[in-house]
Amino acid sequence: MSAIRLLVLGAVRQHGRAHGYQVRNDLEYWGAHEWSNAKPGSIYHALKQMAKQQLLHAHDTAPSTAGGPPRTEYELTSAGEEEYFRLLRAALVQRDPKTDLLSAGLGFIVDLPRAEAVALLEQRVRALTEWRTTVTSSYVPEGGAGGHHIGEIMNMWVHATDSGVEWTRGLIARIEGGAYVFAGEGAPFVGVLAPGQPNPYAVRDDADAQGPGGD
């Protein structure tokens, strides 16, 4: 499963309708270029690919008054909305998603109802715990693997699982304690940049500000 699809769909969804440069700027603002494959080429490719898949509707716009090229603005279709929530739920519940996918899921978790977010995270805890039980039924972390260093591989995974359980349970407690505003509880969280708002975390050059092909 690709984190870039979830990130792009989520960014477009928060805008309602956005062009590629806006999406790229938002993902850089979130620091996604540091913890995921949210690079310019991947972002523009994902937008065009999901438009072909009818997850996004592409709107052609007129050239800007400043003389820039026309841009394509994207908007989620009903199928895109379904895909967004499918990816979001999968990112939160999987035992071993890649770090970028789990990070993307956390970034959009408040788009779910509070009770559902807790239920998904509890599924993740169960999956982690079941995996650990299965592995340690035939493998004792302290014993290594016949005394050689290869046992450290499993040690690393077992300790990472323990850490994942602890962190997830802490997040569940914070959410159950009333942290954050979830779907249906008030004005939705919007973390995208407003038009013209400078991005202090941008990594692009000014010459590339229009994006490939004016998208």
Side-chain angles (χ1 to χ4, degrees):
M1 187 185 304
S2 169
I4 192 69
R5 287 168 69 89
L6 175 56
L7 287 166
V8 168
L9 286 171
V12 172
R13 186 175 183 274
Q14 287 202 16
H15 277 288
R17 183 165 157 170
H19 54 73
Y21 176 65
Q22 285 177 303
V23 172
R24 174 183 172 182
N25 207 30
D26 290 329
L27 297 189
E28 289 179 358
Y29 180 58
W30 301 342
H33 58 290
E34 299 289 353
W35 47 261
S36 77
N37 190 36
K39 305 299 188 287
S42 299
I43 294 167
Y44 293 114
H45 175 76
L47 286 165
K48 292 175 181 177
Q49 187 67 22
M50 288 192 287
K52 289 180 182 178
Q53 296 168 347
Q54 299 185 328
L55 301 176
L56 294 172
H57 181 71
H59 300 271
D60 291 326
T61 62
S64 70
T65 55
R71 282 174 165 161
T72 301
E73 292 187 339
Y74 297 91
E75 180 180 15
L76 266 67
T77 63
S78 58
E81 185 84 358
E82 290 177 8
E83 177 69 356
Y84 168 72
F85 280 104
R86 185 189 73 80
L87 291 172
L88 173 55
R89 292 179 175 111
L92 294 172
V93 79
Q94 287 184 10
R95 173 186 69 79
D96 185 33
K98 293 181 178 179
T99 303
D100 60 347
L101 184 59
L102 179 57
S103 299
L106 291 173
F108 298 120
I109 192 172
V110 294
D111 286 344
L112 298 168
R114 184 179 298 270
E116 183 179 4
V118 168
L120 291 170
L121 292 170
E122 287 176 339
Q123 285 186 52
R124 181 171 191 267
V125 169
R126 287 195 296 273
L128 287 165
T129 303
E130 289 168 4
W131 179 86
R132 192 191 198 284
T133 299
T134 299
V135 168
T136 55
S137 65
S138 57
Y139 167 81
V140 180
E142 293 75 14
H148 54 68
H149 70 282
I150 300 302
E152 295 299 340
I153 297 172
M154 192 56 71
N155 276 342
M156 178 186 69
W157 281 103
V158 169
H159 282 282
T161 299
D162 291 342
S163 176
V165 168
E166 180 182 5
W167 170 81
T168 307
R169 283 176 173 161
L171 176 57
I172 289 170
R174 290 189 290 278
I175 292 173
E176 289 182 328
Y180 318 121
V181 177
F182 284 80
E185 297 179 349
F189 172 81
V190 178
V192 295
L193 293 164
Q197 181 181 353
N199 179 4
Y201 308 112
V203 296
R204 66 200 175 283
D205 296 322
D206 289 341
D208 154 88
Q210 295 297 326
D215 286 346

